Amino acid sequence: SIVPRVVRSTSAMASSSRALALVFGLSLLGCFEPTIAQDAPAPPPPVPPPPVPGMPSSVTQTTTEDPDIEMHAARARHLSTVEVHAKSTGSNIHFEKGAWVYGDYEGAPDIQDPVGCQKACEADAECFHWNFHVIQHKCDKKKRNGGHDSDKDDWIMGHSSRWFKAPAASEL
């Protein structure tokens, strides 16, 4: 088989070398900036169609409240409920922010507010303290032992009237 050969003349090669040297020299002097082929920038995104009258917007906006703000507001609301109940009935109800830790006795799943939690504890001879979770609306009745933890911001706790009448643990 015959393979064609391309032969360049010496003068053509010298001419190409001189042109390349000239471009290189001019670019070093700052007189010439060679262009390098680059990818073209991406086209802009298409313009969205105008909204159709009477149709709801496809843009959904959600707002998320800070859980701490929600918890503090719930606690204030529930503490206010207990305070109003105490004033309107003349009851001497003990309540405060925090939880009575330890002394677990039983839950009261049907109770949905701190006043009901306090009443459930007061009606139970074994209950000395009550806890109400302000977000989950959970009532827990507690026995005599344990202690108050005021760092539990999402709880309201209180003592039954028998707690104030009960002999100290050292007297038992």
Side-chain angles (χ1 to χ4, degrees), residues 14 27 29 50 55 91 97 102-103 117 119 124 137 168:
S27 67
L29 294 173
M55 292 293 288
S91 302
K97 176 188 85 123
Y102 306 111
C117 193
K119 287 179 179 180
D124 186 337
H137 297 164

Side-chain angles (χ1 to χ4, degrees), residues 38-104:
Q38 296 179 352
D39 292 337
V47 176
V52 178
M55 292 293 288
S57 171
S58 63
V59 176
T60 303
Q61 183 177 2
T62 58
T63 56
T64 305
E65 190 171 334
D66 182 349
D68 284 340
I69 293 171
E70 182 181 341
M71 182 263 307
H72 289 293
R75 185 185 65 236
R77 185 176 65 250
H78 287 298
L79 282 171
S80 172
T81 301
V82 177
E83 198 171 279
V84 166
H85 173 75
K87 286 180 181 177
S88 66
T89 62
S91 302
N92 186 14
I93 300 173
H94 173 266
F95 62 96
E96 61 187 286
K97 176 188 85 123
W100 190 264
V101 293
Y102 306 111
D104 293 342

Side-chain angles (χ1 to χ4, degrees), residues 30-166:
C31 301
F32 176 76
E33 290 188 28
T35 57
I36 300 172
Q38 296 179 352
D39 292 337
V47 176
V52 178
M55 292 293 288
S57 171
S58 63
V59 176
T60 303
Q61 183 177 2
T62 58
T63 56
T64 305
E65 190 171 334
D66 182 349
D68 284 340
I69 293 171
E70 182 181 341
M71 182 263 307
H72 289 293
R75 185 185 65 236
R77 185 176 65 250
H78 287 298
L79 282 171
S80 172
T81 301
V82 177
E83 198 171 279
V84 166
H85 173 75
K87 286 180 181 177
S88 66
T89 62
S91 302
N92 186 14
I93 300 173
H94 173 266
F95 62 96
E96 61 187 286
K97 176 188 85 123
W100 190 264
V101 293
Y102 306 111
D104 293 342
Y105 172 45
E106 67 181 13
D110 296 334
I111 307 296
Q112 296 294 310
D113 62 83
V115 172
C117 193
Q118 180 271 332
K119 287 179 179 180
C121 180
E122 198 63 44
D124 186 337
E126 295 292 317
C127 182
F128 283 81
H129 316 280
W130 55 271
N131 288 340
F132 182 77
H133 194 269
V134 299
I135 301 296
Q136 298 175 358
H137 297 164
K138 177 182 173 189
C139 176
D140 290 329
K141 296 189 288 184
K142 303 287 186 163
K143 287 202 175 194
R144 189 180 176 135
N145 59 327
H148 179 236
D149 184 349
S150 61
D151 288 337
K152 303 287 187 194
D153 288 337
D154 50 345
W155 290 89
I156 298 172
M157 63 82 53
H159 305 297
S160 71
S161 60
R162 75 185 59 74
W163 167 253
F164 298 105
K165 298 173 190 172

Side-chain angles (χ1 to χ4, degrees), residues 4-19:
R5 268 178 69 186
V6 176
V7 178
R8 284 194 165 167
S9 70
T10 310
S11 64
M13 288 173 65
S15 174
S16 294
S17 294
R18 280 189 298 249

